[in-house]
Amino acid sequence: MFENGQQVTVETADGNESASSFDLRFSQVKALLQKEFGDTAFRSWIAPIDAVSCTAGTLTLAVPTRFIRDWVKSHYADRIRSLWTQHFGAVARVEIGISGKKADKPAVSAAHAGVAYETPVIANENAAKDAAAADFSVALDPRYTFENFVTGSSNEFAYAAARKIADNEKVSFNPLFLQGGVGLGKTHLMHAIAHTARASGRKVAYMSAEKFMYDFVRALRFQDTMAFKARFRSVDVLMIDDIQFICGKDATQEEFFHTFNSLIDQGKQIVISADQSPADMSGLEERLRSRLSMGLVAAIHPTTYELRLGILQSKCAQMKRNLPQDVLEFLAQKVASNVRELEGALNRLIAHAELVNRPVTVDTAQDLLADILRANDRRTTIEDIQRKVCEHYGIRLADMHSPRRARPVARPRQLAMYLCKQLTTHSLPEIGRKFGGRDHTTIIHGVRKIEELLAGDPVLRDDLESLKKAIAA
Ligand code: ADP
Ligand code: MG
């Protein structure tokens, strides 16, 4: 952390003696970034950065264009700050200015690709060719493995499908489409597939849809789309994360569509992730939508209490840290939104325990996590769920409480039980009471029944998705 008394001041680079040592330091940071992010990213984004000064806890940098500045700011500034702090003394902030050094205008307008684009990123064409030849997949997170992925009813289907692809088993689906809300493990599963497939010698390209688009833009700019196409078409497994990003970006979608088709024709495996199913994504061209729906859409559903508890225990074991069981249960109960937030809450408690050197209690957890807990408290009620389910299936609210067992009311009732279990933190007996005083074993039975059906019934899965949306609205 940065404190006033601890400012480390490096002389400015204004032509005095220390200028060269300052530049040298920054080039060391650049070299570290190159190692970390790879050559392609380095040439495009990091090489153009100039160091200007470092005074009063602020490291000031300059880049040629606004476009590069925005990118560097969102992707590398934090890392630059921490590397500088780690090696040369604390800086609290990184400021990035625009030097206005002009490079040539793009040969082909990149506006076609659906992005606002300023001056080019790479100073000359040879550099672009080199970049094209380099490994174009992004770095994988070593922690995102199958071993570290905790499974439960909400994600085991997606996990099993991912495993099959990673192990190169003969599968009848292509692409595998992983669909799930934020922070539920899509990227984790994708990296896990990539680690495993690479270990067995397959050529894997993994990247976000955003990077796919930027690479495409650059290929357009350098009239180098042939190499771009060839590169993608040489892989065994193509993985594109967060495909929703290319919605509404027509030229990128078109390019992706062709890449996609030629890989499928060659029998290569494709894995896609998105926050929605192909059917629900807006701004997607129809032919791409139907292509994406050809394969297997595997949903990762919101976590259950048990899964959250399992994840917390697994993370503690990984970090070799202990928190009291009641604190873990409290977290699993209260932080139900997504796994990323759950991890964030856990890390905060562990950091606190270390700082004060005392075990965390539920009370302190409540204090330390007040902001997260508040956000998770906008809670769905059992009544909300029952009402939405009834509207959806055109049945009466009284059917939720009645003993009638006819399928047209029994199935929606079970679905409502399932949703109550997933989306609220009520206990099974509490849920049972709101369903006409049913026993908690009836609720368990209902939840299991729905889980079973979901695995094989795409219509029910669709119903579930639209209900979840209606309930969240
Ligand atoms: P998404 O890509 O769906 O937004 P991520 O894959 O980035 O989500 O997951 C967010 C965080 O939660 C990551 O740190 C990931 O390791 C963790 N995570 C998600 N699901 C699980 C799981 N089932 N087991 C262990 N960790 C998980
Ligand atoms: Mg992700």
Side-chain angles (χ1 to χ4, degrees), residues 150 302-314 328 331-339 342 421-422 424-425:
V150 185
T303 53
T304 58
Y305 170 77
E306 291 76 13
L307 180 62
R308 292 193 291 278
L309 193 57
I311 290 174
L312 290 170
Q313 281 158 346
S314 148
L328 294 184
L331 279 181
Q333 184 80 241
K334 297 288 184 179
V335 187
S337 49
N338 70 52
V339 183
L342 188 65
K421 178 77 197 337
Q422 280 219 321
T424 76
T425 48

Side-chain angles (χ1 to χ4, degrees), residues 136-373:
F136 59 101
S137 195
V138 301
L140 299 174
D141 190 317
R143 293 163 309 169
Y144 290 178
T145 60
F146 283 122
E147 291 66 40
N148 290 343
F149 193 81
V150 185
T151 55
S153 56
S154 59
N155 62 18
E156 64 197 359
F157 182 68
Y159 174 88
R163 215 47 260 204
K164 280 209 158 67
I165 294 204
D167 296 341
N168 207 7
E169 281 179 40
K170 264 248 150 318
V171 290
S172 55
F173 51 87
N174 200 10
L176 168 62
F177 192 105
L178 294 171
Q179 181 256 315
V182 287
L184 294 183
K186 301 182 295 296
T187 296
H188 187 134
L189 271 185
M190 289 192 110
H191 285 213
I193 295 174
H195 284 305
T196 309
R198 269 194 194 155
S200 69
R202 282 192 288 165
K203 190 167 172 200
V204 179
Y206 164 87
M207 70 186 62
S208 63
E210 193 180 5
K211 180 167 190 303
F212 180 87
M213 190 180 85
Y214 280 100
D215 283 3
F216 175 52
V217 168
R218 204 169 44 197
L220 282 180
R221 142 81 181 103
F222 292 109
Q223 293 178 302
D224 202 15
T225 48
M226 294 298 282
F228 176 82
K229 288 175 202 290
R231 229 154 23 122
F232 280 94
R233 286 162 206 191
S234 69
V235 303
D236 299 317
V237 186
L238 174 65
M239 314 183 76
I240 306 280
D241 206 350
D242 289 322
I243 195 86
Q244 72 272 4
F245 184 82
I246 66 170
C247 284
K249 287 155 186 149
D250 294 344
T252 304
Q253 279 189 37
E254 166 142 15
E255 184 55 36
F256 180 68
F257 179 75
H258 294 308
T259 306
F260 185 98
N261 284 341
S262 84
L263 285 172
I264 297 257
D265 287 347
Q266 296 171 54
K268 306 294 182 61
Q269 184 64 50
I270 296 181
V271 185
I272 305 284
S273 85
D275 59 356
Q276 287 177 324
S277 70
D280 289 336
M281 260 191 281
S282 60
L284 200 60
E285 258 186 79
E286 273 323 299
R287 56 179 188 170
L288 185 54
R289 186 195 309 281
S290 74
R291 274 304 198 167
L292 290 174
S293 320
M294 281 183 339
L296 179 72
V297 179
I300 306 181
H301 301 287
T303 53
T304 58
Y305 170 77
E306 291 76 13
L307 180 62
R308 292 193 291 278
L309 193 57
I311 290 174
L312 290 170
Q313 281 158 346
S314 148
K315 303 273 172 201
C316 285
Q318 261 175 60
M319 294 188 281
K320 301 196 169 55
R321 292 289 186 285
N322 264 327
L323 284 185
Q325 183 66 13
D326 60 341
V327 172
L328 294 184
E329 285 169 9
F330 173 79
L331 279 181
Q333 184 80 241
K334 297 288 184 179
V335 187
S337 49
N338 70 52
V339 183
R340 190 172 300 133
E341 202 162 56
L342 188 65
E343 278 187 334
L346 178 68
N347 289 337
R348 206 190 280 180
L349 296 189
I350 287 176
H352 176 83
E354 256 160 42
L355 268 174
V356 302
N357 202 16
R358 227 181 316 134
V360 179
T361 65
V362 171
D363 274 352
T364 39
Q366 218 140 17
D367 272 358
L368 289 168
L369 304 174
D371 52 336
I372 298 176
L373 296 176

